[in-house]
Amino acid sequence: MRKIGLLMALMVLLSVVAANAEEVRIYTWSEYMDEEKMPADFEARTGIKVRLDIYENNEEMVAKLQAGGVSQYDIIVPSDYIMPVLINQNLIQPLDHSQIPNLGNLKPIFRNTTYDPGNKYSVAYQWGTVGLMYRKDKVSADAVKSWSVLFDKAKQPGAFWLIDSVREMMGIALVYQGKDFNSTNPVDLKAAADLLVATKRTKNCMGFKPGVGGKNDVVAGTAVAAIVYNGDAIQSVREEPDKLGFVIPKEGSEIWYDSMCIPAKAPNPAAAHKWINWILDPQVGAELSNYNQYATPNATAEAHITPEDLKNPGIYPTPEIMEKLYFTKDLGKQNRIMDEAWTRAKSH
């Protein structure tokens, strides 16, 4: 009986410890870290458990915050153009720099962004581009030099996916037509939406899909091309370089920064600050980029980056490629016009 009593007492104690275990809740993009190793490493270092929830685009993330997620999560990972929305709607809180001693590891360009000078609300996580992933056995290297490989019916090489993300997809359609990536001109947006509608109606277009899903279909061979985020593509290209490729077509595309932020009513902001500071550790930051194949904003991490990755223009674009990459700007009240054009493109 005494043994049973001791066993019951131990079980009660363990249940109390488990109930009181500290936790950090992270809302982030899919496949953006090693989802098993990195949370386990953080817990081993700090004793804080990590819970991950996943989203596939910024608009989905903002909608979740507006619906109550602002008090459910400790960390979110928004892109640059959505930052003004998060700040202006008070969805994120100012950071306590005294709890982030590794902040100085960031490159200067990431410490004074136009949308958040001085890192008041955000800390850079990764940066990258959007381009075309394709199967080398189905699509020629010359064909993928232009977005016409998707938008010109006569040049389509087979089944493909457009990316299900409003600003990236609309921006690519705009630059293909020789317009500003961030145009809010109603005539330009109508033409871009018309192009997407016409493309979607061709027999080869499978529709719109998030970047990870499109990447998976190209890898599986159910699609010959897809518009995807560069890191998603490079991970697979590295494994099958003879079969898969990634390129930024000549008309141009998007360059983006993603950052770590703390929601306004985060349940555990202290743990969130520890997570941010941990990610900024040189070796942790390098491990992150070596895994997800995106570029690091961390100057001290570069010494630990795989040398081949530093030389890969798909990850760290050449000056020539950089000239045709565009940041997505916050459109303010003009977002409504963009959203209307996007809704038309998806619904027709």
Side-chain angles (χ1 to χ4, degrees):
M1 292 295 294
R2 184 178 178 185
K3 289 183 179 179
I4 294 176
L6 287 173
L7 180 60
M8 291 182 64
L10 179 59
M11 292 176 64
V12 170
L13 177 61
L14 289 173
S15 66
V16 170
V17 170
N20 293 329
E22 193 173 3
E23 183 180 68
V24 61
R25 302 178 181 182
I26 300 174
Y27 194 30
T28 186
W29 302 80
S30 62
E31 300 186 13
Y32 216 4
M33 70 172 81
D34 187 327
E35 295 177 7
E36 294 184 3
K37 185 177 186 301
M38 293 198 75
D41 287 350
F42 181 72
E43 182 179 354
R45 176 81 66 89
T46 65
I48 301 171
K49 292 184 177 295
V50 178
R51 190 172 80 186
L52 296 177
D53 281 350
I54 302 301
Y55 57 87
E56 296 293 351
N57 60 63
N58 286 287
E59 290 70 28
E60 177 186 347
M61 177 267 295
V62 171
K64 183 69 172 286
L65 293 184
Q66 292 169 332
V70 72
S71 61
Q72 296 175 14
Y73 297 106
D74 301 301
I75 292 284
I76 57 172
V77 190
S79 300
D80 42 17
Y81 76 89
I82 210 74
M83 283 295 302
V85 173
L86 297 171
I87 294 171
N88 294 335
Q89 294 188 15
N90 298 313
L91 294 173
I92 53 178
Q93 61 179 270
L95 302 174
D96 180 356
H97 288 190
S98 69
Q99 297 185 54
I100 314 174
N102 287 334
L103 189 60
N105 292 344
L106 287 178
K107 294 179 180 180
I109 190 175
F110 296 100
R111 292 162 63 184
N112 196 34
T113 61
T114 55
Y115 56 81
D116 185 27
N119 301 110
K120 181 178 180 180
Y121 293 96
S122 65
V123 172
Y125 180 75
Q126 301 278 262
W127 67 275
T129 61
V130 174
L132 185 67
M133 182 179 177
Y134 63 99
R135 294 196 64 90
K136 292 181 176 179
D137 55 343
K138 300 293 184 180
V139 191
S140 71
D142 284 338
V144 297
K145 290 180 179 179
S146 170
W147 287 116
S148 63
V149 70
L150 304 185
F151 295 135
D152 185 336
K153 182 179 179 180
K155 296 181 179 180
Q156 292 171 354
F160 65 89
W161 286 105
L162 303 173
I163 192 168
D164 190 8
S165 186
V166 50
R167 297 301 304 278
E168 286 89 344
M169 193 65 258
M170 288 294 293
I172 288 170
L174 284 164
V175 296
Y176 173 69
Q177 296 178 315
K179 306 301 181 181
D180 182 353
F181 187 91
N182 294 286
S183 177
T184 56
N185 183 314
V187 176
D188 294 347
L189 292 177
K190 182 181 184 303
D194 287 346
L195 175 65
L196 295 179
V197 170
T199 302
K200 190 175 65 171
R201 289 176 176 172
T202 63
K203 67 176 184 179
N204 291 310
C205 184
M206 300 169 74
F208 299 92
K209 201 167 193 177
V212 170
K215 177 264 296 185
N216 289 339
D217 282 354
V218 175
V219 171
T222 55
V224 302
I227 301 175
V228 303
Y229 298 104
N230 65 314
D232 293 335
I234 298 299
Q235 290 179 49
S236 298
V237 171
R238 180 176 59 180
E239 296 174 0
E240 296 186 280
D242 295 333
K243 295 182 179 180
L244 304 172
F246 175 80
V247 66
I248 303 291
K250 64 182 182 182
E251 295 87 358
S253 188
E254 181 194 45
I255 182 174
W256 48 263
Y257 299 154
D258 283 348
S259 298
M260 296 174 285
C261 300
I262 304 178
K265 297 180 181 179
N268 196 345
H273 280 88
K274 289 179 181 178
W275 175 267
I276 292 172
N277 193 62
W278 182 71
I279 290 291
L280 292 175
D281 176 88
Q283 292 187 333
V284 175
E287 179 185 343
L288 176 67
S289 289
N290 287 337
Y291 174 81
N292 64 30
Q293 299 290 278
Y294 289 108
T296 180
N298 188 331
T300 63
E302 286 192 349
H304 307 284
I305 295 291
T306 304
E308 291 78 10
D309 288 352
L310 287 174
K311 298 175 184 178
N312 188 338
I315 304 174
Y316 295 90
T318 64
E320 292 75 21
I321 296 174
M322 290 291 287
E323 289 180 0
K324 57 185 180 183
L325 296 175
Y326 307 93
F327 285 105
T328 299
K329 300 176 182 177
D330 173 49
L331 302 180
K333 295 180 179 179
Q334 299 301 313
N335 272 318
R336 178 183 57 81
I337 302 175
M338 178 69 72
D339 289 342
E340 288 174 353
W342 177 242
T343 298
R344 181 173 176 275
K346 292 196 69 176
S347 61
H348 281 64

